[in-house]
Amino acid sequence: MKSLVVQRARLGDLLQSLPLIRALSDAGESVTLLVSEDMMEAARLVHPGGNVFGFPGKGHLLELASGSPMKAAGTIARFLENFRTVPYDRLFQLNHDGTGALLGKLLPAREKRGFFSLHDRILPGEEERKKLSGWPAYLVASARGVRAVNRIHLSDVWIGFGFSGSAGEREDFSRDPVPGPGPVGLVLSGRSVYRELVLEDVALLVDRIQRFTGRPVVLLGRPDEREKARVLTRLISGPVVNRVGETSLAQLWAEVASLSLLVSPDTATLHLSASLKVPSIGLFFSNAQPHETGAYLPGCLAVTPDLECHPCAGEGSGCTQMECRSLLDPEYLARLAERFLTGSALPEPPAGLRVWGSRRESGFLSYRPTHACAATREDVLGILFRRFYLRILDREVVLPSLEEECRPFAGQGWPSLLSGDHLVQGASLASRQWGDHPLDPLEKRRVLEEIPLLWPLFLLTEDVDGGQGKRDVQRQAFALLSEETLGARSLLMDQGKKEKERSFSTKNTRTGREVGHGV
């Protein structure tokens, strides 16, 4: 079977598409990859030995159009004509934009999955096409309504494009990767200035990592960070390998592959290390969070600030303090790296920081706290909403018990910013929307006005999905959300009330674990 995967986004998204490509290849499919032309070199490294094609980028097309609009149109026409000669069995279009939807419509394939229409705009000739549904609908809903509480990794979402009922089809690892004997890599910053490390902190971190681990440190970064790296090397007391801005893409691949551990605030480099099975410690502050874009590899760590404002909107937040960066204690991070490399017990995070560990559960990747901590509003909603969405998206998934998911927060108290009663009441009312006596429009509007927590769930099931999902599954998902809110509150408030929580769980009699769809 021949499959075409269209991924025209930047490097990080391309690398996060790799698990889908591997899953398709493992299923015996011959995969062709279509990327933006400026991503061709990276695509060949991601998909070695496979067919890779580059679609003309926006800059190239605008340059052609400035001379003659017909040149741009002719370039696209010739590109599409070449593709029409290849009969693809399946097409996976991963980009929710106008160009992606148009490509999905024009490229030939017997079966198409992904984005072939837009949520908020109707393409010419697509008036009768159904609204987005399933995993594509969730990707839109999560980006617009639940970013702060999203607990489904982007790579898992894209795998869902290829495999419905996909828990058994997903790439798995028999054991967590073991750090090798190589150096420790340290990336200076992410794409945003809000994810840029303070130079004095980096200098201290390098010094402590080399002292605690006995391993050399390799500095990595972009060409525009060369001067910053030169200043940094003068602040570091011992020797350091400075590779900032000095590596081609292929050399960066080889450099990261040689590391025993990568420490990085840049998610693209974390995705690269995960694709090479190199363990990492991701530094997530500003608008980044590990649940959505952390290293897609079990056995990795992520460090986040323990602040109510995290994750924020980055540059759009208007924050001038960037307090989250000041919480990244170099002494602690170096000790964390040392314990991670030796396999010792991880040190307790200092006040203001949290550490998360990645693990594989039923084919999905999740990040959970490594140490007990009080749950925030986003923590609780993240657990409850993830369970709600997975029940709708993948009826074959077997969820861990609610008790297991709440364990890092058990007995630590219910977050003051979250009204559990409102959530229980709203979920109970919402379950009627798919029952025998659905809510009328005025009643539904009142529910959402009084209980705005439910808006992201309605965005998927009503606005994006257009009510196309299975009504019985959606009704059960809302009913279980109401029950599990009570169960989670019991667990967080009092560890001694676990039996009450268990009464709300539907058990799989063969495995003893809860069945994801609650049937």
Side-chain angles (χ1 to χ4, degrees):
M1 183 176 288
K2 294 181 179 179
S3 293
L4 174 62
V5 175
V6 181
Q7 175 54 277
R8 300 166 18 264
R10 58 184 182 266
L11 178 61
D13 289 333
L14 175 59
L15 288 164
Q16 288 184 101
S17 307
L18 183 56
L20 168 61
I21 295 169
R22 286 175 172 168
L24 293 172
S25 299
D26 290 345
E29 301 189 26
S30 173
V31 181
T32 296
L33 183 57
L34 173 59
V35 298
S36 179
E37 60 185 359
D38 61 343
M39 285 287 107
M40 286 288 288
E41 181 184 1
R44 291 192 177 103
L45 290 166
V46 166
H47 191 40
N51 292 326
V52 176
F53 293 93
F55 183 76
K58 183 183 297 184
H60 184 195
L61 293 176
L62 289 174
E63 182 181 350
L64 291 173
S66 65
S68 168
M70 295 305 297
K71 286 186 178 180
T75 298
I76 295 176
R78 287 190 296 274
F79 175 86
L80 293 173
E81 188 60 34
N82 289 335
F83 264 87
R84 291 187 182 279
T85 63
V86 181
Y88 289 102
D89 297 290
R90 298 208 290 172
L91 169 63
F92 301 92
Q93 206 292 98
L94 307 185
N95 309 116
H96 185 243
D97 60 14
T99 302
L102 187 59
L103 276 174
K105 182 179 180 181
L106 295 176
L107 292 172
R110 293 188 309 190
E111 179 186 356
K112 297 185 177 184
R113 297 188 181 184
F115 295 110
F116 306 103
S117 61
L118 300 177
H119 164 52
D120 51 0
R121 295 192 302 278
I122 302 296
L123 296 178
E126 295 292 302
E127 289 82 3
E128 300 301 319
R129 194 171 186 87
K130 292 181 178 180
K131 290 185 178 182
L132 297 174
S133 61
W135 286 103
Y138 176 75
L139 187 52
V140 172
S142 67
R144 301 187 180 198
V146 293
R147 283 296 293 270
V149 297
N150 177 37
R151 295 297 185 267
I152 303 179
H153 197 283
L154 183 56
S155 290
D156 279 324
V157 174
W158 277 329
I159 292 174
F161 281 37
F163 302 95
S164 57
S166 53
E169 306 277 4
R170 294 168 180 266
E171 182 182 15
D172 210 347
F173 301 92
S174 57
R175 62 176 183 272
D176 295 352
V178 178
V184 175
L186 177 60
V187 179
L188 298 188
S189 67
R191 290 189 305 114
S192 166
V193 65
Y194 279 67
R195 288 190 242 166
E196 182 177 338
L197 300 178
V198 178
L199 285 187
E200 290 76 12
D201 288 345
V202 177
L204 183 58
L205 178 58
V206 171
D207 176 72
R208 294 297 189 270
I209 287 178
Q210 293 187 143
R211 181 188 304 178
F212 294 163
T213 69
R215 303 182 187 222
V217 172
V218 178
L219 299 178
L220 300 170
R222 304 184 306 270
D224 62 348
E225 295 179 302
R226 286 172 178 159
E227 180 57 32
K228 182 167 63 176
R230 282 192 283 269
V231 173
L232 176 61
T233 55
R234 292 195 290 268
L235 296 175
I236 298 172
S237 57
V240 65
V241 180
N242 180 12
R243 300 285 282 159
V244 174
E246 304 298 331
T247 59
S248 66
L249 204 53
Q251 289 170 333
L252 177 63
W253 242 257
E255 196 77 62
V256 172
S258 71
L259 300 175
S260 60
L261 175 67
L262 176 74
V263 181
S264 175
D266 176 55
T267 52
T269 319
L270 289 174
H271 303 323
L272 173 57
S273 67
S275 72
L276 297 169
K277 306 296 188 292
V278 173
S280 61
I281 300 176
L283 308 180
F284 288 83
F285 41 101
S286 181
N287 60 335
Q289 61 162 342
H291 313 288
E292 184 176 63
T293 56
Y296 191 77
L297 184 70
C300 293
L301 298 178
V303 180
T304 64
D306 192 9
L307 296 173
E308 290 183 356
C309 58
H310 179 264
C312 69
E315 287 88 342
S317 67
C319 177
T320 58
Q321 301 299 318
M322 291 192 274
E323 179 187 357
C324 51
R325 294 195 308 176
S326 66
L327 296 173
L328 296 175
D329 180 358
E331 189 88 19
Y332 173 75
L333 292 178
R335 187 62 70 187
L336 183 66
E338 183 261 334
R339 296 282 185 88
F340 182 81
L341 287 169
T342 59
S344 306
L346 299 178
E348 186 88 21
L353 285 184
R354 282 181 167 189
V355 178
W356 308 76
S358 62
R359 55 187 292 179
R360 183 70 83 174
E361 295 173 335
S362 302
F364 293 83
L365 191 83
S366 63
Y367 276 84
R368 291 195 184 172
T370 58
H371 296 80
C373 55
T376 66
R377 174 181 182 273
E378 286 71 24
D379 292 328
V380 176
L381 292 178
I383 291 172
L384 296 174
F385 284 9
R386 180 177 186 267
R387 297 170 72 84
F388 173 91
Y389 286 124
L390 287 179
R391 286 182 174 116
I392 290 176
L393 294 166
D394 189 346
R395 296 198 70 190
E396 300 301 318
V397 68
V398 177
L399 295 172
S401 69
L402 181 64
E403 180 180 356
E404 182 179 348
E405 293 210 55
C406 291
R407 185 171 294 129
F409 314 106
Q412 302 292 321
W414 184 262
S416 60
L417 296 178
L418 178 61
S419 173
D421 291 336
H422 268 188
L423 189 56
V424 169
Q425 177 192 8
S428 297
L429 288 172
S431 66
R432 285 176 47 197
Q433 177 63 20
W434 290 270
D436 297 330
H437 304 286
L439 303 177
D440 62 54
L442 288 178
E443 190 176 15
K444 189 191 319 180
R445 179 177 177 181
R446 179 182 62 80
V447 169
L448 290 179
E449 286 178 348
E450 294 182 1
I451 313 169
L453 289 176
L454 292 176
W455 178 79
L457 311 185
F458 271 83
L459 178 64
L460 175 70
T461 54
E462 280 286 286
D463 188 12
V464 180
D465 196 48
Q468 296 173 43
K470 295 183 181 297
R471 299 179 71 86
D472 60 328
V473 175
Q474 292 175 339
R475 182 175 65 251
Q476 290 171 1
F478 271 112
L480 284 168
L481 172 63
S482 178
E483 294 180 352
E484 288 191 338
T485 300
L486 293 173
R489 185 163 59 182
S490 173
L491 286 164
L492 269 59
M493 293 299 293
D494 184 355
Q495 286 182 327
K497 297 181 180 179
K498 292 179 182 178
E499 287 302 321
K500 182 178 179 181
E501 186 276 328
R502 289 194 184 98
S503 70
F504 295 120
S505 298
T506 303
K507 297 292 185 178
N508 180 310
T509 56
R510 182 174 63 84
T511 64
R513 292 183 294 174
E514 182 184 356
V515 178
H517 49 70
V519 177

